[in-house]
Amino acid sequence: MSLAAYALVDCNNFYCSCERVFRPDLRDKPIVVLSNNDGCIISRSNEAKALGVQMGAPYFKQKPFLKRNNVTVFSSNYPLYGDLSDRVMKILRTFCPDMEVYSIDEAFLRLDGFSTYNLTEYAQHIRNTVYQWTGIPVSIGIAPTKTLAKIASHICKKTPKSSGVYNMNDKWAQPAQIDALLENVPVSEIWGIGRKSAAKLYRYGVTTARQLRDRDNAWLQKMLTVTGLYTALELRGVSSIALDEAPAARRSIRSSRSFGKPVTEKTHAQEAAVAYTVRAAEKLRREGLLATTISVFIKTSVHRPGDQHAEYCTHTFDKPTDFTPLFVHHASEMLQKIFRAGHQYQKVGVLLSGLELKRNQQGSLLEVVSTESQRQTESEARLMHVTDAINKKFGRGTVQYAGEGLGQPWKMKQENLSPKYTTDWSKLPEIY
DNA sequence: TCTGGGGTCCTAGGACCC
DNA sequence: TCTGGGGTCCTAGGACCC
């Protein structure tokens, strides 16, 4: 029987690579992409990594260094990354229909059906095609499980001579080689082992992937719950995390953002809560969903230890809805409740959950609907439809809720955005 | 002065029911 | 009003992911 084969296709430095598609002049130059609010560095080109720029480093601290070293800085352009991601995924699907789109820049392929192929060569071919058709370089790791495929793709990125593909299955027949390989993987780098678990494992002397793999099941489950056990099984080559080809429906929608500067006024916090509520509700309708609960949270900055307050509050509706004014009403009310004067708040957020498909709602034959409430529902739907249509056509915020406020002093910082690259999405097709 | 945003899953514990 | 075990459902909190 042949070995199972999962491939992880991982776009290299994805956001940076996307920016380079439109700026070929930056091909061998150091570049970075910043998070929202120009907060921190979330993508680095290899040249930037070589300079020692750290992932997640606060931009304000790195700014002089970046300037000195001629690093080109981009603010994130998510519509662009989303579009390029779609193109990459479409190409991958033509090579292998058993596919899980794992994130904006990663996909798992299940290559079991390709046993007559030389998988390494096939992966090379995939890689070359993606690069030719999109300009995005990818790394591909192949292994008997998803967790090992992740490791394989890491190895691949670190080994220049791998030329973009690393096939662990080739070595599977020589256990000593696999042992040696896992010996070199720190436990903290394993997919599914985060900071807390890594620290815990360290305390018990488990520092490498090989050591984790060789612990007994009961111990693993006790220390790391079943998810940790699955991870260890996967390291042994026993596939325990299945390919998720049709991801389950979304369960929640969140809209939250850090303020441009700390907020101390209740009205400002409330305006932000309303604005995020409006956005979350737009997303809800765009995806044809209804929500049964809305939550609002508020928090101070972790970087100000002397001034800490975080709280959240939830409201559940009698029946699922997508009506913005209703969300807005409850969001404001809850914010009033959790806001405490005297704190410098850093962030508020809104979460819609208990989601269900709107079309599953229609045609409830058992419910007795009065013509009055029927008419009410219809006019609500029409109102939402019209506002969404106007905002889509003329830009977000054309029709705005009074509660969002006009000045919006709490808004994300924009000063550092480089105007040239915040291109309106509608302009991009002209470039192509 | 300035440190992202949006998700999922697992578990423990409480409420409720029989 | 007391006694008991066990099941289900919900939620908050923790941990992880990109």
Side-chain angles (χ1 to χ4, degrees):
Chain A
M1 199 182 100
S2 66
L3 204 52
Y6 286 91
L8 176 70
V9 183
D10 194 343
C11 300
N12 300 345
N13 316 327
F14 184 56
Y15 297 168
C16 286
S17 300
C18 289
E19 295 293 349
R20 276 179 173 166
V21 169
F22 298 93
R23 289 290 305 275
D25 57 303
L26 295 175
R27 195 125 297 168
D28 298 305
K29 306 280 190 321
I31 72 174
V32 298
V33 174
L34 304 179
S35 66
N36 270 334
N37 221 14
D38 288 343
C40 45
I41 292 162
I42 54 170
S43 182
R44 306 160 292 158
S45 71
N46 287 345
E47 298 75 15
K49 288 178 189 172
L51 285 171
V53 178
Q54 292 301 303
M55 179 69 173
Y59 176 50
F60 76 93
K61 282 189 186 166
Q62 297 295 311
K63 211 168 166 181
F65 177 84
L66 297 175
K67 195 156 192 176
R68 252 195 333 272
N69 290 280
N70 285 318
V71 179
T72 308
V73 176
F74 291 90
S75 297
S76 18
N77 185 347
Y78 289 103
L80 171 63
Y81 311 150
D83 181 67
L84 281 169
S85 172
D86 288 346
R87 288 169 199 227
V88 170
M89 298 306 171
K90 272 205 191 94
I91 294 166
L92 294 179
R93 205 176 293 279
T94 65
F95 285 97
C96 176
D98 298 332
M99 164 169 158
E100 170 185 348
V101 177
Y102 178 65
S103 74
I104 194 166
D105 67 340
E106 284 171 78
F108 287 104
L109 308 178
R110 191 164 165 126
L111 297 173
D112 295 25
F114 295 78
S115 53
T116 57
Y117 287 50
N118 176 325
L119 289 185
T120 308
E121 283 172 14
Y122 191 53
Q124 297 276 10
H125 180 43
I126 294 176
R127 184 175 184 274
N128 294 338
T129 308
V130 170
Y131 188 71
Q132 276 169 27
W133 294 3
T134 64
I136 302 290
V138 301
S139 300
I140 303 181
I142 299 169
T145 67
K146 287 164 77 174
T147 304
L148 288 170
K150 275 270 200 183
I151 290 176
S153 93
H154 284 152
I155 293 174
C156 171
K157 285 185 183 173
K158 283 190 217 157
T159 325
K161 70 173 177 151
S162 69
S163 63
V165 176
Y166 188 89
N167 187 347
M168 205 185 275
N169 280 13
D170 285 347
K171 304 199 166 51
W172 202 254
Q174 289 99 46
Q177 283 198 41
I178 299 295
D179 288 355
L181 193 147
L182 293 182
E183 194 97 44
N184 279 315
V185 177
V187 86
S188 58
E189 282 179 18
I190 301 168
W191 184 46
I193 305 295
R195 247 195 13 255
K196 299 272 183 177
S197 300
K200 198 173 192 181
L201 290 167
Y202 253 78
R203 286 200 294 278
Y204 287 88
V206 177
T207 61
T208 70
R210 182 183 175 181
Q211 289 171 323
L212 184 72
R213 180 196 68 182
D214 295 340
R215 282 284 171 150
D216 74 77
N217 292 356
W219 187 87
L220 289 161
Q221 176 149 10
K222 191 170 141 233
M223 298 303 292
L224 305 171
T225 80
V226 284
T227 50
L229 174 57
Y230 293 152
T231 297
L233 289 171
E234 289 243 318
L235 291 174
R236 294 171 203 165
V238 179
S239 182
S240 308
I241 303 174
L243 196 72
D244 194 0
E245 293 176 62
R250 176 202 291 288
R251 307 169 75 116
S252 62
I253 291 175
R254 175 189 296 242
S255 177
S256 74
R257 235 153 290 262
S258 298
F259 300 128
K261 56 181 181 200
V263 162
T264 52
E265 303 281 318
K266 191 197 265 186
T267 50
H268 293 159
Q270 197 169 350
E271 286 171 10
V274 170
Y276 302 155
T277 302
V278 170
R279 282 207 186 180
E282 279 169 5
K283 189 166 186 184
L284 185 77
R285 289 191 295 273
R286 213 181 309 133
E287 299 191 9
L289 298 166
L290 300 170
T292 42
T293 72
I294 178 168
S295 314
V296 172
F297 62 88
I298 191 164
K299 60 204 273 187
T300 51
S301 167
V302 288
H303 304 288
R304 294 170 43 82
D307 172 27
Q308 288 293 295
H309 177 229
E311 200 162 334
Y312 112 122
C313 188
T314 294
H315 175 84
T316 303
F317 300 105
D318 298 333
K319 61 174 195 175
T321 177
D322 64 358
F323 191 50
T324 298
L326 191 59
F327 290 134
V328 165
H329 169 75
H330 287 282
S332 323
E333 215 159 63
M334 288 190 282
L335 188 105
Q336 304 258 9
K337 225 185 280 178
I338 59 180
F339 185 94
R340 284 200 213 137
H343 291 290
Q344 300 211 6
Y345 288 104
Q346 181 224 3
K347 185 188 252 187
V348 303
V350 171
L351 184 73
L352 301 177
S353 51
L355 305 186
E356 42 189 87
L357 278 173
K358 189 166 190 173
R359 59 180 146 82
N360 290 353
Q361 283 288 303
Q362 289 170 349
S364 163
L365 298 174
L366 298 176
E367 194 185 348
V368 183
V369 185
S370 73
T371 39
E372 184 53 35
S373 80
Q374 176 77 27
R375 209 163 26 232
Q376 172 76 9
T377 311
E378 281 168 10
S379 81
E380 285 179 7
R382 213 158 35 233
L383 178 57
M384 290 301 95
H385 184 73
V386 168
T387 355
D388 287 344
I390 293 174
N391 283 336
K392 187 172 179 203
K393 185 157 184 194
F394 299 104
R396 164 173 290 142
T398 306
V399 177
Q400 194 181 300
Y401 288 79
E404 295 179 62
L406 288 173
Q408 305 196 328
W410 41 269
K411 228 178 170 171
M412 295 201 298
K413 224 188 350 196
Q414 299 278 333
E415 302 132 33
N416 290 313
L417 296 183
S418 104
K420 200 168 169 190
Y421 312 119
T422 55
T423 323
D424 193 293
W425 176 232
S426 63
K427 300 240 163 46
L428 279 165
E430 296 165 21
I431 300 170
Y432 271 103

